[in-house]
Amino acid sequence: MKADLTEKFGRNLPRMIEAVIVAGGRGERMGGVYKQFSSVAGKQILFYPIEKFLDYGVKKIVLVVPKEKLSIGEEIIAEFGSKVNVVSGGEKRQDSVYNGFKETSEDIVLIHDAVRPFVSVELIDRVVKGVKAFGVCAPGIPVRDTLKIYKESEILWTRARSNLLQVQTPQGFSRKILGHIVSLFSRQVFTDELAFAEKLNYAIHWVEGDPFNIKITYPLDMKLAEAITGYLATT
């Protein structure tokens, strides 16, 4: 498998690339269930992205888990050897990203949501190429649905969808740019690292995302993940 991927992507493994897999959520929208530790098709969700980033050939993965789950995280990474480290997260996503970033040292750092289990090596490669060319890159899928702005039960107006993206992870950064971004974490709160890059006026490149690269957020997403796992096993 590793040899096949190396030939396909023209890589000399290990790459000088590191990944921070953010698994610090506490499952508020899943009724208090830590979804990153739940199982899909008999395997914990966390295992899927770890395996894909290792297949791609990153030099190191930093897994960020809730501090109360640190011992479980240590048990999980024991199966992967020295290429995967685990650290405790913080109260907010950006706190967890900061804790993970501190454990990295390479020129390209990828930030990925642990609850996007179906990231592919092809998608990772597209993002890495974008980072090499532009410094900041993320995958996205153009929005297909009509979007409405609302207040309570009233629809106020329609937002044109022609230039809107549904952004996924991994989001990739040069080390210099991500270091600048994390320096602002104590001052402002945003939903992802790209928002900080926007605030700092960095040019952000996007590449084609993957419709299978879903984020497991609600209980229904677990059923969808099971269906995706079954489909991918047959292709």
Side-chain angles (χ1 to χ4, degrees):
M1 177 67 171
K2 186 75 73 176
D4 292 342
L5 290 172
T6 303
E7 182 179 353
K8 180 175 181 180
F9 294 103
R11 298 188 300 270
N12 293 315
L13 302 180
R15 305 288 309 265
M16 297 299 102
I17 300 163
E18 293 171 314
V20 176
I21 297 181
V22 183
R26 290 178 168 81
E28 285 86 356
R29 285 172 288 190
M30 287 277 286
V33 174
Y34 289 78
K35 51 187 177 290
Q36 63 271 46
F37 300 107
S38 299
S39 293
V40 170
K43 184 163 63 176
Q44 282 186 314
I45 288 171
L46 276 175
F47 277 76
Y48 289 92
I50 291 174
E51 289 172 345
K52 287 300 182 181
F53 280 97
L54 290 177
D55 283 346
Y56 182 70
V58 298
K59 185 176 182 181
K60 183 172 74 173
I61 294 172
V62 182
L63 177 65
V64 187
V65 301
K67 59 184 178 181
E68 65 271 20
K69 299 291 185 178
L70 189 59
S71 61
I72 296 177
E74 290 170 344
E75 292 176 8
I76 290 172
I77 69 166
E79 297 195 22
F80 297 101
S82 61
K83 280 195 171 184
V84 185
N85 297 342
V86 63
V87 298
S88 60
E91 290 300 315
K92 301 183 292 294
R93 173 192 167 84
Q94 61 200 59
D95 299 328
S96 296
V97 170
Y98 177 73
N99 289 352
F101 175 72
K102 288 191 299 182
E103 301 299 317
T104 66
S105 59
E106 297 300 330
D107 290 339
I108 294 178
V109 181
L110 306 175
I111 310 296
H112 185 65
D113 296 326
V115 290
R116 291 187 186 271
F118 305 117
V119 63
S120 66
V121 291
E122 291 83 3
L123 179 58
I124 296 169
D125 197 60
R126 290 198 293 271
V127 172
V128 167
K129 287 175 178 175
V131 176
K132 287 182 174 180
F134 300 98
V136 183
C137 184
I141 296 178
V143 171
R144 295 182 295 178
D145 294 331
T146 298
L147 301 180
K148 303 287 186 180
I149 305 300
Y150 74 96
K151 182 178 180 181
E152 297 178 348
S153 63
E154 181 183 3
I155 292 177
L156 303 178
W157 51 281
T158 301
R159 179 69 182 269
R161 65 188 179 194
S162 57
N163 61 346
L164 291 179
L165 285 175
Q166 177 182 332
V167 174
Q168 303 176 334
T169 67
Q171 297 179 3
F173 304 85
S174 71
R175 180 167 199 83
K176 181 178 179 181
I177 291 176
L178 188 54
H180 190 190
I181 288 171
V182 301
S183 71
L184 297 182
F185 279 2
S186 62
R187 306 178 202 172
Q188 292 179 284
V189 177
F190 288 109
T191 56
D192 69 359
E193 294 68 54
L194 288 189
F196 283 94
E198 295 162 15
K199 181 75 173 179
L200 295 169
N201 293 318
Y202 285 113
I204 303 169
H205 183 67
W206 73 277
V207 294
E208 181 184 359
D210 186 339
F212 290 130
N213 187 29
I214 66 167
K215 183 177 182 180
I216 298 176
T217 305
Y218 299 102
L220 182 61
D221 296 329
M222 294 293 291
K223 296 185 180 297
L224 180 57
E226 292 280 355
I228 291 173
T229 303
Y231 175 79
L232 293 177
T234 64
T235 59

